[in-house]
Amino acid sequence: MAYDVDPGVAAALAAFRPPERLGFGQVAAPVMYDVHYADGAWGRGRLLPYGPIEILPGARALQYAELVFEGLKAYRVGQPWPNLFRPADNCARLARSAERLAMPPVPEALFLEALDAVAGALAPFVPDRSGQALYLRPFLFGTESGYLLRNSTTFRFMVIANPVEAYASGAIRVAIERHDVRAAPGGVGHAKAAANYAPSLRASSAALARGCTIALWLDAHEHRYLQELSGMNLFAVVDGELLTPTLDGAILPGITRDSLIRLARHRGHAVHERAIELGALLGQIASGACSELFACGTAAIVAPIAALVEADGREHVPRVVDGVAAELREALLAIQERRAPDPFGWTRDVARPAPAG
Ligand code: COI
């Protein structure tokens, strides 16, 4: 084992009693992984009881949002030991996010070791109900204190986890955000950087206050073209074909988005990545040409959209809710949960801990 296990881990695991209602991110799993980077090299990782961490108040993660993260899940439906879904792709995306922020990449072996350590220790607590999972949140952040506008020289990579349900249950209402901007090409919109999420929170909070789950972002220049929802990508079914916005540098390249494109084509659907103009789409919803909308993401899985909602309360309601979305959600979940063959080779067992001694 290339990492150390804190003596408090066994007691933390023994004391953990997850509640019946998990929500999304409300229940913290009792262990976490932590490894430090200094002098150009990663140190030795540690599996620790979940709890507060020490960080200097001047750390660039806190002062300048020098932080990138990932999200993926471990599944254990109908099987004694959990599996992951496309973890190497999360590692590659974390490396691309880190590269955009000029942070050191986390080597794949270290990334997988951290996931295996956390998910392996938590194997008995990985929910076994379809649709539930253990959400894994790897994150990399700069710990050097100082205001000079350059990168840290010391970093930390951690993995925390939460047993979860899907981000939202049932069909979601989505608030069209026509004022604030989430990300622009050349910025960090394509990276999974904390700095993308802070500017989205005002709109997300306002969306919640209007009875919506989340906001829909438009392009930064003209406020005309669909980007994504905060933390979810978006698909429309138009004239029976699937459309999703082209990755324009300001949209997160979702691994669920990519999986759905490949899975939908494999199942015989036509799928197009293209610029989607909001006005045209609203016209197609009104005429019925756009029959359905849905969101997707690791947290959301596949979430049907019941309505796009304007700030003045007007609603654009697609005539189908959860048609193609239901088909693709079940097909994707069946692969993720290993209830169906995985023709893409997407799933991977959590590594079993090496016997002690
Ligand atoms: C995920 O789906 O993993 C995400 O990161 C979405 C999160 C912002 C709720």
Side-chain angles (χ1 to χ4, degrees):
M1 188 157 51
Y3 59 93
D4 296 320
V5 179
D6 183 273
V9 161
L13 288 167
F16 184 55
R17 302 273 179 280
E20 181 63 23
R21 299 292 305 274
L22 297 173
F24 187 84
Q26 271 100 292
V27 180
V31 301
M32 62 188 187
Y33 180 96
D34 185 24
V35 63
H36 293 238
Y37 177 96
D39 301 322
W42 287 101
R44 189 174 166 87
R46 290 180 307 157
L47 189 67
L48 302 167
Y50 179 81
I53 59 168
E54 281 200 348
I55 182 168
L56 288 171
R60 283 176 172 77
L62 297 180
Q63 300 302 326
Y64 295 143
E66 194 186 29
L67 189 150
V68 292
F69 71 97
E70 273 303 317
L72 71 163
K73 285 175 174 170
Y75 306 85
R76 195 174 63 86
V77 177
Q79 53 180 9
W81 190 252
N83 65 272
L84 302 172
F85 182 73
R86 301 186 67 177
D89 294 287
N90 290 94
C91 183
R93 188 172 62 186
L94 187 71
R96 292 197 302 276
S97 301
E99 199 272 329
R100 174 60 185 83
L101 272 72
M103 301 164 77
V106 178
E108 187 177 278
L110 183 59
F111 186 85
L112 295 176
E113 170 185 284
L115 296 180
D116 287 334
V118 172
L122 294 168
F125 302 111
V126 178
D128 57 6
R129 278 192 216 157
S130 180
Q132 299 188 353
L134 182 76
Y135 183 72
L136 296 156
R137 174 57 70 93
F139 56 109
L140 165 69
F141 56 103
T143 51
E144 189 181 332
S145 182
Y147 301 140
L148 290 185
L149 289 164
R150 61 159 175 77
N151 284 100
S152 290
T153 57
T154 55
F155 295 88
R156 200 158 164 181
F157 172 62
M158 299 187 70
V159 177
I160 56 175
N162 312 77
V164 295
E165 296 156 14
Y167 189 89
S169 60
I172 60 174
R173 290 158 46 82
V174 173
I176 303 173
E177 175 54 54
R178 292 180 184 266
H179 182 263
D180 285 357
V181 166
R182 173 188 172 273
V188 294
H190 61 296
K192 207 159 173 63
N196 282 327
Y197 292 82
S200 77
L201 296 180
R202 176 165 80 172
S204 301
S205 298
L208 282 174
R210 283 158 54 196
C212 297
T213 299
I214 206 150
L216 164 65
W217 295 101
L218 304 175
D219 74 281
H221 297 302
E222 298 181 80
H223 295 220
R224 276 178 64 196
Y225 294 96
L226 274 60
Q227 286 186 331
E228 59 166 272
L229 317 180
S230 325
M232 304 176 196
N233 295 114
L234 178 90
F235 283 82
V237 183
V238 178
D239 295 329
E241 302 192 333
L242 286 162
L243 307 185
T244 192
T246 315
L247 299 177
D248 64 352
I251 296 175
L252 188 83
I255 292 168
T256 309
R257 173 188 181 278
D258 178 71
S259 304
L260 288 181
I261 291 173
R262 292 165 63 181
L263 187 57
R265 287 186 178 143
H266 184 74
R267 297 176 66 85
H269 293 281
V271 187
H272 308 286
E273 297 176 69
R274 65 171 66 134
I276 302 177
E277 209 250 330
L278 179 65
L281 183 72
L282 297 182
Q284 288 166 326
I285 294 172
S287 74
C290 172
S291 52
E292 185 179 347
L293 297 166
F294 60 90
C296 71
T298 299
I301 316 176
V302 176
I305 295 177
L308 299 182
V309 183
E310 304 277 4
D312 63 8
R314 275 179 304 128
E315 296 191 357
H316 308 275
V317 179
R319 61 187 162 85
V320 178
V321 176
D322 220 10
V324 178
E327 175 205 329
L328 294 180
R329 180 173 60 248
E330 173 49 26
L332 179 67
L333 263 182
I335 293 176
Q336 291 173 325
E337 295 173 349
R338 289 190 165 161
R339 294 183 281 106
D342 173 10
F344 307 97
W346 282 335
T347 69
R348 166 197 176 282
D349 269 352
V350 170
R352 286 174 193 272

